Amino acid sequence: MKLKLFLLSLLAGTAILFSASCIGTSPDKSLSERETTNFDEDWKFSRFGETPDGFIDEPVGLESIDWNDDFWQQETVPHDWGIESDFLENQPNSTGKLMFQGIGWYRKHFNVPTTDKGKCFSIRFDGIMSEPTVYLNGELVGEWKYGYSSFALDLTDKINFGGDNVIAVRVDNKADSSRWYPGGGIYRHVWLTKAEPVHVANWGTYITTPQISNNSATVTIETELENLSGSAQKAEYYHIIRNKTTGKTVAQSLTQTIDLQTGINTPDKIEVKVANPLLWDTQSPNLYIAQTVVSIEGCVTDKYQTTFGIRSIEWSASQGFLLNGKVVKINGVCNHHDLGPLGTAVNDRAVQRQLEIMKEMGCNSIRTSHNPPAPELLAFCDEMGLMVMDEAFDCWELKKTNNDYHRFFKDWYKKDITNLVKRDRNHPCIILWSSGNEIREQWARPHDLEVSHKLTDLFHELDPSRPVAAGCNQPNSYKNGFGSTVDIYGFNYKPHLYNDFKNTHPDQPVFSSESSSCISSRGEYYFPVSNNKANGFFNYQVSSYDLYAPPWAMKPDIEFEGQDNYPFIAGEYVWTGFDYIGEPTPYNNDKTLLINYHTEAEKKEIEEKLSKMKGSPSRSSYFGIVDLCGFPKDRFYLYQSRWRPELPMAHILPHWNWPGREGEITPVHVYTSGDEAELFLNGRSLGRKAKAKPGTLAPDISLPTSLSAGKNAEASTSEENNASANGNDNNIKTRWCASSDSADNFWQVDLGENQKLGSCVIYWENDSSAYAYEILVSQDGKKWEKTSQATYAGRNNYSLHKFSAEGRYLKVQFTGLKNYWASFYECQVFAQDVQPEIIDPEAIPEAYRLRWDNVIYEPGELKAIAYKDGKKWAEDSVKTTGKAYTVKLTADRNRIKADGCDLSFITIDIVDNNGNIVPRSNNMVNLSITGPGVIEATGNGDATNSDCFKNTSRNAYNGKMLAIIKSEKNKPGTIKLTAESEGLKSQTITIETATLKR
């Protein structure tokens, strides 16, 4: 089955509405412009319930027009009340140790002149976190539940024309409502619309392009008209299509006449032909504007603009994803909605900067994890050529946290999906809807399947042009019926199941909706370098060799291999592009960090710290390819080397400042878009290495003859297609898997006769850290002895067990499981003591990175020269630096708009007297500012740093720090930011603010 779909695009930002009084006979004359006004300024705010200052009682009557709010806090929204406070030890680190919970009230006074009587007024909130109730002049206007939904409310009947009006919003943000930091308050933009009674409804256009060729495109426009005049009307309308860049008119429809009853009417459809269309794609994101002109008796009552794109999409079970008929591999990232040190409050420039950083890496798609995004993100994706997987929910009826969306799902999912799809369906960037992420309903009770079918059907009803997917982490969800309730199947962390999926679902398109989940801290490297992904953790940080991950996850290379081996996979969405506030895996669990690298004294000190706080001190994630400030980690260059193969690039890790490690092994990795590289240390060649062809990362190494190969095997339980015999058939592509999730499953093999046994190698389905087990040996199959074993954890989920025993039978007895069933590809048994070097990384060619694992550290310069097709391609070097000498300031933009919103992101580096960043420097930096700007936030990318983001003094982290400067409204001029650090030379940078277009 091929799902061939033709697409559209939406409102890039806000629809612009106009109208006119009924004067004259020409529909294009005597227009009096109607307004959609930004309603962000001049709010008053106060907080009640749980607050950082303790519990504050909520008074009665705060919605009243007469309530005295003179002493309330003045705020401009978008506003995130949680980001303003310090990180608190008594708050869960899963939500970032920030107090987002509590009750907040917002009030805004505004006037409406008597001359506007007869007009219709509505207010649109792009997002309020959460459970808002809205009042106008003391009367209830409406409510919503889902903090990520945009919604509009009619205000007309409650407007006080010619006098003061007060809109009041009560926000009830409950604790334990999220798995990550959600923010709190009116955190997205607000818009007030004034319109004539007959107008295009909110999100009232739906544009598709069902037929496209080089010479012509058919643009189909469905329009919902709203008639609030109180009586039936006969209306006329037509559409004008313009090139968004040039403004040139490229097509115009015929005028359509329609009889309007009161209220919102059934959508009416018009087809328009566009000659020689410019298509939207990732390289040339061409956009058009459709202007819908509505009139009554020759008088224009509305002009409504919709941004869209002309292009086609197709999801294929055999080819993956096609854009305009061409295969495009999805190189995507998952991102949460916070903006790092700015919190969740939407800022247009901050959103744009995040997308710019992702594009520089080679990303071409964004998954909005796990909720509807801000409209501004989609508008930027339209303009920048980034595709989007637009996601609705993180849970349905079954909860993940006590106060999450499951409380409202049954009563609100139709409203939330309707608003999501109507708001977003005209955006050309959107290629896929997602109904949910890792929904617990994946276990597929009959009712669960019914729920999923209903959601998919609702998406199809609102937008037949796009398919629906879900992110699935339950291994059997594509077999138990759940996968058939969506159009496209999304795997979360299951590249080993790709081939099995193809065999069982040959006609269903598939992709990786969430991949890798590798974790690292920028600039941290720990020794010795272990290939066991469960290692690399120390002092609440994670080594940046990009080898480490939680039990369910893996280093990026394994997903790369899965994508290369199975090209029918449409692509991947990496978890995550950016670090985010909350979910500081692996330090969500208090005891996790005690298992590796710590002495007994250190463990005791850590336990004492943990006893005094709720969770570890970590308050943000380690998953990001870039850190919370947007500074690239090493992994950035690994993905860039794969996703931008045409870009000459090379990147060396680690840094080369290791005093005290002279003479010790310090492994070096090189990421490059070339196919080989030579490494030099102080001018001496350390060898030239070539990447292996994809596929050779599978554990396919030369071992002695296995005693277990082909011998009789049995197990406590086995899946029908994964029998016990698969565990020793000498085929690394087949596997044994238990048929239950019991922790006491076993697998055993009869070797035929008693003999000396020295070792075994097990190739696991998942990382060996996911399984707790024992190796047992028996001479008669009845009396079993536990082996005295040493374990060497190798790459690609396998492990070596060394022991000295005599027996005929060998058993793998499971004693515990972490998220997975008992399963392995092969258990090979040997008479001799197999040495770890046989499965050492050096024995397995690397397809995606180059490794020199035995480099002996000496100060100086490391240099890598990369080659492609035998020719010099790129080079990189790292040097042992001198002492910290000065701070260095670099702005992403030295000229910004004086609108009170625009930002300049200032990178502050600690450098030596040659300008090289000193990698382990953590100097305290003090900032001061003059001119028409403010220091909006600071950060350093350290997941354990507990300084408030509003602080103007902060320690650098591994040589870097960020300052975010915001302009003051209507005050053009010169901003000067000065950075000072004791013992270092200070520096000042100049930012100009002006009235200019971005």
Side-chain angles (χ1 to χ4, degrees), residues 360-361 640-641 644-650 672-674 868 873-874:
E360 175 65 21
M361 182 176 64
Q640 188 181 68
S641 71
R644 297 185 66 184
E646 77 293 342
L647 176 70
M649 59 79 59
T672 178
S673 52
K868 194 166 190 175
W873 178 248

Side-chain angles (χ1 to χ4, degrees), residues 146 148 177-180 336 367 369-372 391-396 398-401 404-405 435-441 514 575 583:
Y146 193 28
Y148 295 103
S177 60
S178 178
R179 297 190 297 121
W180 56 86
H336 274 308
R367 179 189 180 199
S369 310
H370 299 293
N371 44 260
E391 194 152 76
F393 306 119
D394 188 49
C395 71
W396 296 344
L398 300 178
K399 69 181 181 180
K400 294 182 179 178
T401 61
D404 64 16
Y405 183 72
S435 59
N437 168 68
E438 298 185 355
I439 299 300
R440 293 181 62 197
E441 284 84 348
E514 199 166 307
W575 191 264
E583 271 194 330

Side-chain angles (χ1 to χ4, degrees), residues 22-29 234 236 295-301:
C22 293
I23 301 173
T25 58
S26 170
D28 293 322
K29 294 182 179 179
K234 185 181 289 293
E236 293 183 338
S295 61
I296 302 289
E297 296 180 352
C299 174
V300 170
T301 64

Side-chain angles (χ1 to χ4, degrees), residues 710-780:
K711 299 297 175 60
N712 292 329
E714 61 180 290
S716 51
T717 65
S718 298
E719 288 186 335
E720 182 178 353
N721 296 324
N722 296 301
S724 58
N726 290 355
N728 61 317
D729 61 357
N730 219 28
N731 182 356
I732 205 67
K733 300 298 184 182
T734 63
R735 65 186 174 94
W736 163 75
C737 183
S739 61
S740 75
D741 61 355
S742 172
D744 61 358
N745 274 294
F746 70 84
W747 178 94
Q748 71 181 53
V749 61
D750 180 355
L751 302 175
E753 61 182 1
N754 281 315
Q755 53 194 302
K756 290 184 178 180
L757 305 177
S759 59
C760 73
V761 177
I762 303 176
Y763 301 100
W764 299 98
E765 180 191 4
N766 297 286
D767 190 273
S768 58
S769 64
Y771 313 100
Y773 59 95
E774 297 173 343
I775 304 295
L776 305 174
V777 173
S778 173
Q779 295 188 21
D780 58 7

